[in-house]
Structure formats: structure tokens, C-alpha cells
Amino acid sequence: MNAQTAANNEDFVLSVEGLTVSFDGFKAVNDLSFYVEENEIRVIIGPNGAGKTTVLDLICGKTQATEGSIKFRGKELTKMSEHAIVHAGIGRKFQNPSIYEDLTVFENLEISFPRGHSVFGALVFKRDAEVIAAVEEVAETIFLSEDLNKTAGLLSHGQKQWLEIGMLLIQKPDLLMLDEPVAGMSVAERKQTAELLNRITKGRSVVVIEHDMQFVEDIAHRVTVMHQGKVLSEGSMERVKNDPKVIEVYLGH
Amino acid sequence: MSMQNIRAFMPRQDLIAFLVLAVVIFIAMPLAMDIFRLNLVGKYLTYAFVAVGLVLCWGYGGILSLGQGVFFGLGGYCMAMFLKLESSTPEATAIQSTPGIPDFMDWNQITEIPWFWEPFHSLPLALIAVLIVPTIFAYIIGVAMFKRRVGGVYFAIITQAVASILTILIIGQQGYTGGVNGITDLRTLLGWDIRSDSAKYVLYFVNGILLFACLLFAQYVRKSKLGRILLAMREREDRVRFTGYDVSNFKIFVFCLGAAFSAIGGAMFTLQVGFMSPSFVGIVPSIEMVIFCAVGGRMSIIGAVYGTLVVNWAKTSFSESFPELWLFAMGALFIGVVMAFPSGLAGLYRNHVGPFIEKSYKRLRLSYENYRKPDNLVTSD
Ligand SMILES: Nc1ncnc2c1ncn2[C@@H]1O[C@H](COP(=O)(O)OP(=O)(O)O)[C@@H](O)[C@H]1O
Ligand SMILES: [Mg+2]
């Protein structure tokens, strides 16, 4: 499949090829290749320490690749700065909710609104009707309309996860990367989040890392299974679930 | 600016704090003190420029600089160089072996004014230098550190190193800098005797006005989105970076702003006190300036001004009786404040005095309203 896809990899939103990163000789990601299509929801699963988070770190520029290439709409990302990668259209949610607890929900979303990102732009930034409308729209999507003036630190764990997703949404990224978005959520919140993801993924590609198999079944178009920095299996959830290699890794632990 | 914008820039609580401080600085102090004491307060207030800068830099941005004396000193030296050249006329220095150059140069066998002193013949150039030299220096340090993602304790230590290197340089290059004594015996500004009582009054008010200009700008920064980005950065630097901001630029900006404020303070120090020396540049004064800010409350620009006044007043009273104990007292004060009152005087005010005033105000209004409605008196019980 790789040979066929590599030939026309301009059609992919994201193409990762031969990606390797070595931390003092330990290859956390080892010659990894995968391709994400337009409007696809891709879920990456794998045991702890498989290198999933590191893959997202490499894509968003947090970690420098030792080898390999990451192309986003044909643009090489491995040499770009973090903020340039964001401006190219990639949004990333961290594994632990990463929000500004001292600021209000409104202010959290406002900072993420894609305007006034230079020093001067931030100094003269005005909270105009456009900003307010965008913040309110996103707040509604992430179930936080009632909490706009609340200090973000006071939100529940699940609400914090939603807020961070909202902070990405307001940037209207073409590729959304979510690291364990339902970790630590109640069953009801997981359901709500699955519904939220299905709604917000219209018109963009999404890469999600997740452990919760029910949740994966609910949202995934395709699944990539990682193990020890490599792709172990890839395809539909059905196919992956029945792959003997996957069964061995999951049951063997 | 619309009414709403003004309210966002200056909420009622802040407006009251600004007004009270204005009354203290421009009315109460000048009325209550003779010129000797007032000049002393004026000197203290020059450190408040540094403390206000530190509120933005450290309180908001989370960047602890232990070398703000560098910028205070550079601003002060730029001013002092101009004043020194003005007072080193050939007539005034006729007894020197080379008349017409600053006295300390003559003592160090220097026979002509070095090139980097030349621009300081001109007041406009000197004033520009007061602002630009320290800011550019801060910019260079900022780019070198923040672009490499040096921060936290490492950054604090490097600013300490810069402060001590600059002190050593100034002391070592006696012929160009006046050495350990500094640049002394400054007398006139464009012929105006800055040592006279009337000049000291004028300079006190100029200093106060400049401090308020800095406070208003700091307030603007605080209330702008940039202020919120600084807070966000302090808490979750990575989140800000992966939201598309170049975090280092914001750090460089706020560090340069703190340097520019400090430089204005330094120049006003030179004008009011009549000299500038390396003892305001090094590690100890730099740490003292951080303590002023911490005592005032590192999140409060107005608090920083009071913190500066209180600590300096304590220092003056204390070191008159026990000069050798002052450093220890200062250290204890710092640790005490950080441990027990992390929000400093501003926090004490907010948590205790503020609610008390608010409550008294409400009670007063209530009784006034009751008084206005005479039938209430009958029905109230
Ligand atoms: N910056 C780093 N330096 C050294 N080792 C790292 C670094 N980041 C991740 N690792 C290691 O790489 C491996 C993969 O980690 P990670 O990507 O977080 O796994 P996952 O998200 O799949 O649980 C782990 O063994 C981890 O300790
Ligand atoms: Mg992980």
C-alpha cells in the first residue's frame, strides 16, 4: 500500500515518511510512515511508551526528527518553527489538559483566536464583534456557553479537556491532533466528546491518540497501531482488531 | 476610546488606586516634608520605575531578572555623562593638566575625551541614549537568551553575571567611567543649577510625572491581550507556543520594557541625587530592586511603588542605627514576604483593607439612605 500511496503523496493532507527520532540512542519512533487523507479521522493506538505522543511532538515541531520527512499539504514541516507550523494549519491538544487556569474561559479562547499574534498585534488587539462571535460560537460547540466568565482553573477535568479542544477549534486548523482527549472523563463525558469530535471533524482531518476502544470504534475511520516506535498494523478497526500481531501485543502484556 | 474601552483599561478599583497614589506623590508628600526629605523620597521613587518594570517582567511574564541595576545604571550613566561634560568647562577645570575634560579623566592621565563620550555633549542625544542604550542592551541579552529558550533560574543567574561583569568593567575602566567613585560633582543642566532647592522641587515633580507615564503604559500593557499572553506564557508556555505565538518575542519585549523603565529611573536618580556610581549597578542593588517589587506585590504595579517606598524608608531608618545588619534584615524580609505574603502589600490590601473599605462604604451609604427616608426610622424596628 505504501508504494502506491507514496507515488501521489501530494493528495494527502499529512504524509509521514521514514520518521525516526533517537533520544540518546533510544529510538522512540523508528522509521515510521503513515498517510492521512483529507477529512479522515485517524486514530493511533498502542501500548504505553509506544511513541504515540512523540509522533505528535515531531509533527508539531516540539521535538526535532533525527531522520525522515513530515509533509503537510506538500510542505516540509521538519525544519519549520512551532508557530509557523500552527499558522500552516495544524492544531495540537496535549495529553494533559493544557489551558490557562488563571484566565477566564473567554480569555482562553480569545488568546487562541487567530489574530494579533505578533507583539504589536497583541498590544493593539481589540475585542471586537468578530472575536466575541467566534468565542461564543466555539463555547457553544464545547458545551461551555454558560461558563465564559468563569476562571478556567475552576472547570471540571472534562470541561478543561473541552476547553483545550475549543482553543484549537477557534483557530480553524486543517489538521487537528488530539492526544488522549477523553482520558480521565466520565462515561457521559466520553459520549459527549465522541459526539463533539464527530461534529467538529467535518471539513478537516484529525489525528487522535486514544486508549478507550469503545471511543475509538465510535470515531475512527482508520486505525494505526504503534508498537515500539513502529507501525504494527493499519486499517479499519475491524481489520486491526483481528490482526494476530495486534492481538499478541495487546494480550501478551 | 469609547467609554467601554476606558473602563476595560482602567476599572474602578484601579482608578482609585491610581488617584490615591497621585494624591500621595503630588500632594501629601510635598506638603508634609521639607525639601531634604522630599528629595529623599524622589530618590526612592526612581527605584519604583525598576519595580514597576519587574511587575510586568517577573510578575506577569515570569521572567526573574536579578540584574535590573544594569539598566538603571546605564540610564543613570548616560545622564551623568551629559551633566559631567557640561560642568567640565575649560574655565571650571582650569587647574587640571588638560582643562575641559572631566576631572577623573585628568586624574587618569587621559588627555582627550574618548569617542563614546562625544555624543553626550548634546542633551537630545543624551536623552535618546538614556532610553536606547539600556533597551538595546536588554534586547541583545533577550535575543541571546530567549531565542535559545534559556529561562527560569538560568536566566536569573545570567542577569546576575551581567550585573557583576558591568560593575567590574566600570570600576576597572576608571579613566573612562570614573571608576568606583562613579561620575560625581554634577551641577547644572543647560545652565540650570540642579542642586538648588527649587530645582529639587521641580525634579521631584518631573520624576513623579514620568513615573505615572510609565505606570499608565504598564497599565495599558497589563490590560491588553499582551498582558494576558504574558500570564498565559508564565503558566503554559508550550500551549502559547503551539497556539501560534513566537513566545521569545514576547519575553524580549517585556524584558526591554522593564529595561527602558529602569533607565528612566536611573536618569532621574542622577538628576536628583547629583551623581551615579557602580554601587547602583551590581548584584546587591539589583536584588534589592526585586525585593521592592516582591514586598509591594509582584502582580501589582501600584503596589510596587508602595513596596519601594516602604522598604527604602525602612532601609534608611534601619541602617542609620545598624548599618551592618541591613543586608540580613533585607534577606529576612524577602524570605518572609515570599513565604507568608506572596502577593505582598497589594495582597494584604486586597484581602483585608479593600473589603473593609468596601464594607464601610456600603454601611455608610445604607445609613445615609436610611437617614434620607425618615419613615424608615419609625418602621425599622
Ligand atoms: N524528550 C524525550 N527524551 C527522552 N525520552 C523520551 C522523550 N520523549 C519521549 N521519550 C521516551 O519515548 C518513549 C515513547 O514515549 P511516548 O511517545 O510518550 O509514548 P506514548 O505516548 O505512546 O505512551 C517513552 O519510552 C519515553 O520515555
Ligand atoms: Mg502519550
Side-chain angles (χ1 to χ4, degrees), chain A residues 23 26 28 46-55 57 63 95 179-180 209 211:
Chain A
F23 298 121
F26 167 67
N48 265 330
K52 306 179 298 293
T53 298
T54 308
V55 171
D57 286 348
T63 303
Q95 189 163 344
D179 200 345
E180 306 198 12
I209 295 176
H211 283 300

Side-chain angles (χ1 to χ4, degrees), chain A residues 60-62 82-84 86-87 90-94 96-103 107 110-113 115-127 164 167-168 171, chain B residues 1 4-5 8 147 149 217 220-254 299:
Chain A
C60 73
K62 191 170 185 231
E82 296 97 326
H83 57 94
V86 175
H87 292 301
I90 297 184
R92 186 250 171 105
K93 191 198 159 307
F94 292 96
N96 299 314
S98 194
I99 57 167
Y100 318 125
E101 308 223 333
D102 290 341
L103 303 182
E107 289 166 339
E110 182 189 54
I111 284 184
S112 305
F113 183 77
R115 180 175 9 116
H117 276 19
S118 67
V119 168
F120 183 73
L123 264 181
V124 301
F125 180 87
K126 283 223 162 50
R127 186 176 291 177
E164 197 183 350
M167 287 158 72
L168 300 178
Q171 300 176 44
Chain B
M1 264 210 250
Q4 205 184 355
N5 284 342
K147 290 284 177 195
R149 309 252 165 108
F217 190 69
Y220 177 78
V221 169
R222 211 163 80 75
K223 290 291 172 186
S224 69
K225 190 177 81 166
L226 196 144
R228 296 190 289 280
I229 290 171
L230 291 177
L231 289 176
M233 235 169 54
R234 190 187 63 179
E235 203 183 342
R236 295 273 179 194
E237 186 169 324
D238 263 349
R239 186 63 274 168
V240 178
R241 182 173 290 129
F242 293 105
T243 299
Y245 293 95
D246 187 343
V247 167
S248 56
N249 287 345
F250 288 83
K251 293 188 176 180
I252 293 167
F253 170 79
V254 77
M299 296 306 291

